[in-house]
Amino acid sequence: MERSEREPQLPPARGRISAATADFLRGSGPPPDEGTIAGGSPLEEDWQLGLYLCYELHYRGFAGVDAAREWDPVLLAVRASLEQPFLEALREGATGHEHADEALDELLVEPVDGTGVSHYLQDEGELWHLREYAAQRSLYHLKEADPHAWVLPRLWGRAKAGMAAVEFDEFGGGRAERVHARLFADLMADLDLDTTYGHYVDVASAEALATVNLMSLFGLHRALRGALVGHFATVEITSSPGSRRLARAMRRTGAGPAAEHFYDEHVEADAVHEQVVRREVVAGLLEEEPHLNRDVAFGVNATGYLEDRLAAQLLGAWRTGGSSLRTPV
């Protein structure tokens, strides 16, 4: 069995689903059965952690877990049993737009009185809030743009060219020190956080896990390529103004130069990416496959739905003086 020092440790279980999944990955027990899965809820933490464990095999895997588990048919069946109810929950909860243009147009409108996480951190967040935010977001940002790379073989023409151009920037434009995942690790170091990949999975909320699982769900299924493009467009369109506020928060709290730089980089880069994604990736995809219009809109809706849930979890904890993490860092 191949081993790598870059493989994270399996996190502690949060219930019967994640416990059985972890045991199966170790080879020390059976996978979760239908009764165990049926007793869970798709948006709660045990379910989301179980699904995260399945998905992570397609990225760096886990220490002590055979790499062959990635394509184990038994585990793939477990993953499917967790994915379908999650997808159904998203389709039920993430409503609002049925057409890509109207969904994307709404993202371009910044509210006069913003009340989201980046507004809170900009205006009144303290350093410990920023550390918690970075810990939660590290589940994605330490593999930034990796989930979106899955869609490249499923696109062609303008959509593929535009997507590849944006991904090239996300991966540093050919320079290892500029890879965005590396820049986020530098941000974490400024905030005195552990930069080890997967280190904060155990303390992250169910809502944070769900935002990352969404990308893997969309990215790993060709049938959901339109939703993945909708998700990516949402991220790029909303990133620049949010990153500007987060850069101000980092400066105001004295977080450090690398912490400031990560968000400064995204203010500039994502302002350009927004145009490429809208005019080339989305428009190119729908020119070739107009039947995916509603899927793109669903990707936008689902992204906003889960981000709103995460924002409510973060702000609900912080506004009462509590930690947003399962265990404070």
Side-chain angles (χ1 to χ4, degrees), residues 111 113-126 128-130 132 245 307-325:
D113 255 343
T115 57
V117 172
S118 63
H119 292 90
Y120 178 89
L121 292 173
Q122 171 189 255
D123 297 335
E124 54 188 302
E126 300 176 21
W128 70 271
H129 293 126
L130 294 173
E132 289 201 352
R245 288 187 287 270
E307 286 294 331
D308 287 347
R309 285 174 55 87
L310 176 59
Q313 188 266 326
L314 292 169
L315 296 175
W318 292 342
R319 284 174 174 154
T320 58
S323 173
S324 68
L325 302 171

Side-chain angles (χ1 to χ4, degrees), residues 229-261:
V229 167
H231 168 81
F232 193 61
T234 305
V235 171
E236 296 301 325
I237 289 172
T238 59
S239 175
S240 188
S243 292
R244 183 175 290 107
R245 288 187 287 270
L246 290 168
R248 290 171 183 156
M250 295 294 175
R251 289 191 178 88
R252 182 176 57 77
T253 58
E260 296 173 18
H261 176 67

Side-chain angles (χ1 to χ4, degrees), residues 43-310:
L43 294 176
E44 57 93 29
E45 61 179 5
D46 183 36
W47 191 294
Q48 288 297 317
L49 180 58
L51 189 53
Y52 180 90
L53 297 181
C54 293
Y55 283 146
E56 197 58 30
L57 298 179
H58 299 290
Y59 298 100
R60 295 198 191 179
F62 295 101
V65 175
D66 193 327
R69 286 291 194 197
E70 179 180 5
W71 298 111
D72 186 309
V74 174
L75 192 64
L76 291 177
V78 170
R79 196 186 91 186
S81 296
L82 296 171
E83 284 179 324
Q84 192 57 39
F86 179 39
L87 185 58
E88 290 171 1
L90 292 172
R91 292 196 185 281
E92 181 179 348
T95 58
H97 302 287
E98 294 193 4
H99 300 284
D101 281 346
E102 65 181 30
L104 295 172
D105 285 346
E106 185 171 299
L107 295 177
L108 294 171
V109 180
E110 277 272 293
V112 176
D113 255 343
T115 57
V117 172
S118 63
H119 292 90
Y120 178 89
L121 292 173
Q122 171 189 255
D123 297 335
E124 54 188 302
E126 300 176 21
L127 196 58
W128 70 271
H129 293 126
L130 294 173
R131 296 182 75 239
E132 289 201 352
Y133 183 73
Q136 299 256 33
R137 288 298 194 186
S138 69
L139 275 62
Y140 166 64
H141 280 303
L142 290 180
K143 61 181 176 196
E144 185 168 340
D146 288 353
H148 305 112
W150 294 108
V151 82
L152 282 168
R154 293 147 185 182
L155 303 176
W156 59 91
R158 289 167 55 202
K160 181 189 282 285
M163 191 75 187
V166 175
E167 287 282 271
F168 183 65
D169 285 349
E170 299 285 348
F171 294 136
R175 296 173 57 186
E177 74 277 8
R178 292 185 60 83
V179 171
H180 285 189
R182 174 70 260 171
L183 297 181
F184 193 80
D186 295 340
L187 171 150
M188 294 178 73
D190 263 4
L191 293 173
D192 197 27
L193 294 170
D194 193 314
T195 62
T196 304
Y197 181 92
H199 180 80
Y200 292 105
V201 171
D202 181 39
V203 300
S205 65
E207 291 81 4
L209 285 167
T211 65
V212 182
N213 285 339
L214 179 74
M215 302 179 211
S216 298
L217 171 67
F218 289 168
L220 288 167
H221 290 272
R222 180 179 175 275
L224 295 172
R225 63 194 179 281
L228 189 283
V229 167
H231 168 81
F232 193 61
T234 305
V235 171
E236 296 301 325
I237 289 172
T238 59
S239 175
S240 188
S243 292
R244 183 175 290 107
R245 288 187 287 270
L246 290 168
R248 290 171 183 156
M250 295 294 175
R251 289 191 178 88
R252 182 176 57 77
T253 58
E260 296 173 18
H261 176 67
F262 177 81
Y263 289 110
D264 284 337
E265 171 77 9
H266 281 70
V267 171
E268 181 177 348
D270 290 344
V272 176
H273 293 172
E274 170 196 330
Q275 299 301 314
V276 176
V277 172
R278 184 76 187 265
R279 296 176 182 178
E280 301 301 322
V281 182
V282 175
L285 174 70
L286 296 182
E287 181 179 59
E288 297 281 355
E289 300 188 272
H291 63 282
L292 294 181
N293 194 300
R294 292 186 68 177
D295 286 359
V296 174
F298 170 61
V300 176
N301 293 339
T303 304
Y305 175 66
L306 291 184
E307 286 294 331
D308 287 347
R309 285 174 55 87
L310 176 59

